């Protein structure tokens, strides 16, 4: 089986422009893995590596594009330290992506940055919210009409614990497997969901199909076990990036990770034809947005 991962020796956040082969791998749905690129914590930030920094009922702490911190417990001083750590990760992630992928840079839209201090193995969740099952990312309430979800991840575990993922089969195979059983798109239903505020804008057929793939993958126990997959332990002090709307992934174990999401219009990819939107349009034979 061809590896779903491309290992790169880069050791600096201000990196280097990506070679053509790296871009083709990333836009082809592979994970770019930087084992030598560490997100360094400051001494004062080390005490933040505890689930106790989470506010009651929160699973993650997030820093909004507007600088607002959500999900953090503790006094103002503690929150400033957590916010500072997440903010620095946001800057370094952007620096990394801008230097690797200069063509993307002017077109990226920054989404909130998250810090995930919970131990993955002990989380209990509904099947649909359970990221321990293979899936492609799709957001039920925020339709994106094909816009890409590019994510930067850093394992900051202080005890040597890897964040272990499973990577699944290429997107086109996922789509060929699950499209035949996808429920058809109903424009009236999309309008109704929007009218009652379930979605923040009108769900396109693309958004509908991506959610169908997401749910069908997670709901299928046989697929979870039997599908082509590769287990990848990402060690502390490493970074990995992928288009998470395309790379089938599941998290198996780990604790303490930072994550930055960046959105990119399909047209600004080096090769828009490799996008989930283009693949799904080709397989269904119609435009989906
Ligand atoms: C996900 O995007 O599925 C979550 C990955 C993780 O928490 O490591
Ligand atoms: Fe995911």
């Amino acid at each position: 089986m061809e590896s779903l991962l491309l290992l790169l020796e880069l050791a600096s956040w201000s990196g280097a422009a990506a070679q053509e082969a790296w871009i083709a791998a990333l836009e082809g749905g592979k994970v770019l893995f930087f084992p030598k690129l560490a997100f360094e914590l400051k001494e004062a930030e080390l005490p933040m590596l505890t689930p106790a920094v989470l506010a009651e009922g929160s699973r993650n702490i997030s820093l909004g594009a507007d600088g607002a911190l959500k999900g953090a417990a503790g006094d103002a001083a503690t929150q400033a330290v957590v916010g500072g750590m997440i903010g620095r990760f946001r800057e370094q992630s952007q620096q990394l992506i801008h230097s690797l992928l200069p063509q993307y840079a002017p077109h990226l839209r920054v989404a909130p940055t998250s810090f995930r201090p919970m131990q993955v193995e002990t989380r209990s969740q509904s099947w649909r919210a359970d990221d321990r099952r293979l899936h492609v990312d799709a957001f039920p309430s925020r339709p994106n009409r094909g816009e890409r979800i590019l994510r930067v991840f850093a394992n900051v575990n202080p005890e040597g614990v890897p964040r272990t993922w499973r990577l699944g089969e290429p997107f086109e195979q996922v789509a060929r497997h699950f499209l035949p059983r996808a429920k058809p798109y109903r424009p009236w239903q999309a309008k109704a969901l929007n009218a009652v505020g379930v979605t923040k804008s009108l769900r396109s057929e693309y958004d509908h199909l991506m959610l169908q793939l997401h749910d069908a993958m997670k709901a299928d126990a046989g697929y979870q076990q039997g599908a082509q997959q590769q287990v990848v332990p990402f060690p502390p002090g490493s970074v990995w990036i992928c288009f998470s709307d395309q790379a089938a992934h599941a998290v198996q174990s780990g604790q303490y990770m930072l994550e930055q999401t960046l959105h990119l219009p399909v047209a600004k990819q080096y090769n828009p034809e490799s996008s989930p939107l283009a693949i799904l349009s080709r397989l269904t034979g119609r435009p989906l947005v």
Side-chain angles (χ1 to χ4, degrees), residues 116 120 123 131 135 137 151 153 163 165 249 251 257:
R116 307 182 182 198
V120 169
R123 282 190 323 219
D131 290 337
H135 64 284
D137 286 347
R151 288 189 148 162
F153 303 91
R163 196 166 192 96
W165 277 25
H249 62 283
V251 59
M257 182 181 75

Side-chain angles (χ1 to χ4, degrees), residues 40-50 81 85 156 158 256:
E40 305 283 355
L41 295 192
K42 296 182 178 170
E43 193 74 30
E45 291 165 352
L46 293 175
M48 303 301 122
L49 299 179
T50 163
V81 176
M85 173 180 80
V156 292
Y256 306 119

Side-chain angles (χ1 to χ4, degrees), residues 14-262:
S14 53
Q19 296 165 16
E20 246 171 68
W22 308 4
I23 296 171
L26 177 70
E27 292 195 348
K30 291 192 182 188
V31 173
L32 303 190
F33 173 37
F34 304 96
K36 293 188 178 158
L37 187 61
F39 178 69
E40 305 283 355
L41 295 192
K42 296 182 178 170
E43 193 74 30
E45 291 165 352
L46 293 175
M48 303 301 122
L49 299 179
T50 163
V53 297
L54 285 168
E56 187 92 18
S58 297
R59 273 172 44 197
N60 299 326
I61 298 177
S62 76
L63 180 68
D66 56 358
L69 193 67
K70 282 191 200 148
D75 56 14
T78 308
Q79 299 212 6
V81 176
V82 181
M85 173 180 80
I86 303 175
R88 199 169 71 260
F89 177 69
R90 168 184 299 175
E91 279 165 30
Q92 296 195 2
S93 299
Q94 286 182 268
Q95 195 182 14
L96 176 68
I97 298 299
H98 290 183
S99 58
L100 278 173
L101 303 151
Q103 183 177 306
Y104 292 177
H107 309 291
L108 293 167
R109 189 166 60 78
V110 184
T113 318
S114 71
F115 172 47
R116 307 182 182 198
M118 296 265 277
Q119 189 181 20
V120 169
E121 303 90 301
T122 58
R123 282 190 323 219
S124 75
Q125 270 150 359
S126 70
W127 66 268
R128 194 176 263 127
D130 190 356
D131 290 337
R132 291 172 298 192
R133 301 173 188 224
L134 282 169
H135 64 284
V136 287
D137 286 347
F139 304 124
S141 64
R142 282 169 283 140
N144 67 22
R145 311 182 71 79
E147 191 181 46
R148 305 308 312 278
I149 305 171
L150 178 61
R151 288 189 148 162
V152 182
F153 303 91
N155 184 354
V156 292
N157 188 287
E159 283 146 4
V161 179
R163 196 166 192 96
T164 301
W165 277 25
R166 292 185 290 141
L167 296 175
E169 60 188 356
F171 184 85
E172 180 152 346
Q173 263 167 259
V174 173
R176 285 185 186 276
H177 190 102
F178 288 105
L179 271 184
R181 52 176 114 155
K183 288 194 196 119
Y185 176 65
R186 310 239 184 259
W188 62 266
Q189 217 165 33
K191 281 185 197 140
L193 290 173
N194 196 26
V196 298
V198 170
T199 57
K200 296 202 167 79
S201 61
L202 194 68
R203 193 180 276 175
S204 65
E205 182 167 8
Y206 170 79
D207 294 291
H208 169 78
L209 290 177
M210 290 298 288
L211 282 169
Q212 289 285 307
L213 296 184
H214 170 276
D215 288 0
M217 290 170 84
K218 281 188 173 175
D220 187 336
Y223 180 80
Q224 291 293 325
Q225 279 214 327
Q228 171 195 332
Q229 53 195 280
Q230 179 180 356
V231 175
V232 186
F234 296 108
S238 73
V239 164
W240 60 105
I241 66 179
C242 69
F243 280 110
S244 64
D245 50 0
Q246 180 175 11
H249 62 283
V251 59
Q252 193 161 294
S253 58
Q255 188 171 17
Y256 306 119
M257 182 181 75
L258 286 153
E259 170 271 332
Q260 175 67 58
T261 301
L262 299 159

